């Protein structure tokens, strides 16, 4: 089995995980723990333990394993507008050559918080949070210099109507 490097959004924590290893961690209890944390990421482990039938220590250990395996992250979701970033955009990219290496290169950009390989008219989508339109233009110019990027198209967010992270578990 191949190994892969995982890191959280700010790059502070890196873990090596065997491909497929995360699926072994997802028994019914693990899924219940995840669902509890999706409802409230600050829910005490003792409360979660009562809901899923485990001790506080057992929940703490299971959560740590899920974090280490990259199955989930526990983060503060912020409002970029209130933090001084009034411009957000989704950028569609068409590429040539090795798609995964281009995606990996984009993931290194500090301004990009989301990169996904897609099917359809774009090969990649990247979400950016910017200080202003000039900052967005700087990012677009930087993206266009990445080897393998053929073209970009920016979709500027005008108003966010829904954002959720509580899709549950399969």
């Amino acid at each position: 089995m191949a190994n892969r490097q995982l890191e959280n959004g700010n790059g502070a924590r890196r873990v090596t995980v065997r491909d497929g290893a995360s699926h072994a961690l997802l028994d019914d209890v693990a899924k219940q723990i995840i669902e509890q944390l999706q409802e409230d990421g600050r829910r005490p482990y003792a409360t979660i333990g009562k809901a899923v039938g485990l001790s506080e220590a057992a929940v703490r250990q299971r959560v740590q394993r899920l974090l280490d395996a990259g199955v989930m992250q526990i983060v503060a979701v912020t409002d970029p507008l209130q933090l001084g970033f009034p411009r957000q955009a989704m950028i569609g990219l068409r590429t040539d050559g090795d798609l995964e290496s281009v995606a990996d290169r984009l993931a290194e950009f500090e301004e990009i918080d989301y990169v996904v390989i897609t099917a359809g008219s774009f090969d990649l989508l990247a979400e950016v949070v910017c200080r202003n339109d000039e900052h967005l233009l700087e990012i677009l110019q930087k993206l266009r210099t990445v080897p393998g990027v053929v073209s970009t198209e920016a979709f500027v967010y005008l108003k966010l109507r829904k954002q959720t992270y509580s899709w549950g578990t399969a």
Side-chain angles (χ1 to χ4, degrees):
M1 261 184 206
N3 290 334
R4 58 190 159 110
Q5 288 284 326
L6 299 174
E7 67 178 79
N8 70 5
N10 65 14
R13 181 188 181 116
R14 282 201 150 119
V15 217
T16 301
V17 178
R18 286 188 337 271
D19 283 340
S22 59
H23 294 294
L25 297 172
L26 293 179
D27 61 9
D28 288 339
V29 174
K31 290 178 181 182
Q32 290 174 38
I33 291 170
I34 291 168
E35 289 168 358
Q36 291 280 318
L37 289 168
Q38 283 177 322
E39 288 176 18
D40 179 359
R42 298 185 324 156
R43 185 166 287 158
Y45 291 151
T47 304
I48 295 170
K50 288 178 186 168
V52 302
L54 293 176
S55 69
E56 178 181 352
V59 170
R60 181 179 295 105
Q61 289 175 347
R62 281 184 173 245
V63 167
Q64 191 59 55
R65 282 197 305 261
L66 292 165
L67 293 169
D68 289 345
V71 172
M72 67 177 188
Q73 296 177 23
I74 299 174
V75 298
V77 178
T78 59
D79 179 350
L81 187 61
Q82 293 189 41
L83 294 175
F85 295 99
R87 177 60 67 222
Q88 288 181 272
M90 183 65 70
I91 302 171
L93 298 102
R94 291 182 181 89
T95 65
D96 188 17
D98 182 13
L99 186 57
E100 295 208 14
S101 67
V102 176
D104 290 342
R105 176 66 183 101
L106 297 183
E108 295 172 3
F109 282 58
E110 183 178 323
E111 301 92 345
I112 295 176
D113 60 39
Y114 177 84
V115 177
V116 63
I117 297 172
T118 65
S121 60
F122 295 105
D123 299 308
L124 299 168
L125 292 175
E127 185 180 62
V128 296
V129 178
C130 309
R131 294 183 303 276
N132 50 39
D133 287 339
E134 187 173 318
H135 186 212
L136 175 58
L137 181 58
E138 289 171 17
I139 295 168
L140 287 168
Q141 289 171 334
K142 242 169 82 171
L143 288 173
R144 291 176 180 144
T145 67
V146 172
V149 172
V150 174
S151 67
T152 63
E153 185 173 344
F155 300 90
V156 174
Y157 297 179
L158 298 176
K159 190 173 190 179
L160 181 64
R161 297 299 287 184
K162 181 179 180 178
Q163 182 173 0
T164 182
Y165 299 98
S166 58
W167 51 79
T169 57

